Structures are given as C-alpha cells and as structure tokens.
Amino acid sequence: DPAIACPKCGSIGTAVDRITLKALLKPDGLRRGIPARPRFCATADCPIVYFDVDGGVSFTEEDLTVRVYAKRPNDADTPACYCFGVTVGAMRGDGARELREAVAREVQAQHCACEVKNPKGGCCLGDLVRLERVHEAEVVTSCCAVS
C-alpha cells in the first residue's frame, strides 16, 4: 500500500482494519460511514485520528469511545494498553516493568484484542516498552541529580 498522508498534518498514516473503527466509533461516527481503507494518524498535535484513503471522511478523538494514547502520550489517565487497562500513569510507577511483562505474557497467550480495542489497530507492547524506558530514565535522573 502506498504512503498516504493525513489531510490535516501531512504525516503518513498507517493502515488500520475497518473492525477497529467499527469497535471504537460512537454512533454518530458510525453513521458517517466506515472508510473502505482507513488510516490512523499518530501525530500527537493533529486532531485527526482516522482518515479515509479515498478522501472525504475523517474522525477525531471526539468521535471515539476511548482516549487515544498517540494523541495524549503524557496524560496519566489515558490507556497505553487497551486490552488490560494499563494507563500511562501506571507505567510511570515502580511496577512498570512488571506491568509490561504481564501484558507481554497475555499477548503471547493470545488473550488480547489489540486490533479491536487499540485505536492504532495493533499491539501496545512497543508503547509499553517506550513508557518503561522513559520511567527508568526519569528514576535514574531524579536519584542522581546534583542539588
């Protein structure tokens, strides 16, 4: 599939299955129609979450039933893992590694529904690893800071 840019910010959107939109859109969004080839825009400061490859239709976070991690990466209450309810805030705590490992076990056991529950239409493990690394870096910085 060729690179398709978001009509608002120009970032390349990633293909997402129609089932993801069907699962996450509020009724008014569903009534506008599900694009045949939807894309996900991960740019944090762009209001568009999904857009239609063929043009004409786009959806913002307001159209969805969930907060979108890619749009709110620093919001403690936003889910980072939609299947198992792990928030950004939880990944900032001392149990970040254990949470990530627990989710990894569930994913490996195929107990997840990422393509349906995660707005990006894919697995959250990469996001959890990044959040864990940020937390570890913050811990090192705060405990080793010179007064």
Side-chain angles (χ1 to χ4, degrees), residues 3-57:
I4 307 293
C6 172
K8 182 77 173 173
C9 72
S11 293
I12 301 303
T14 55
V16 63
D17 196 294
R18 296 178 77 224
I19 193 73
T20 307
L21 278 73
K22 289 179 180 183
L24 298 180
L25 285 172
K26 293 178 183 174
D28 286 344
L30 287 169
R31 285 186 195 97
R32 290 182 15 226
I34 306 297
R37 298 184 303 147
R39 295 282 191 211
F40 175 75
C41 176
T43 304
D45 59 356
C46 180
I48 292 179
V49 177
Y50 299 115
F51 61 94
D52 186 355
V53 167
D54 302 317
V57 118

Side-chain angles (χ1 to χ4, degrees), residues 122-133:
C123 188
C124 68
L125 281 176
D127 297 329
L128 295 182
V129 167
R130 280 187 291 282
L131 284 166
E132 180 184 353
R133 286 181 183 151

Side-chain angles (χ1 to χ4, degrees), residues 99-110:
L99 282 171
R100 193 237 336 124
E101 289 172 349
V103 170
R105 285 191 298 275
E106 296 296 343
V107 169
Q108 188 171 19
Q110 298 181 347

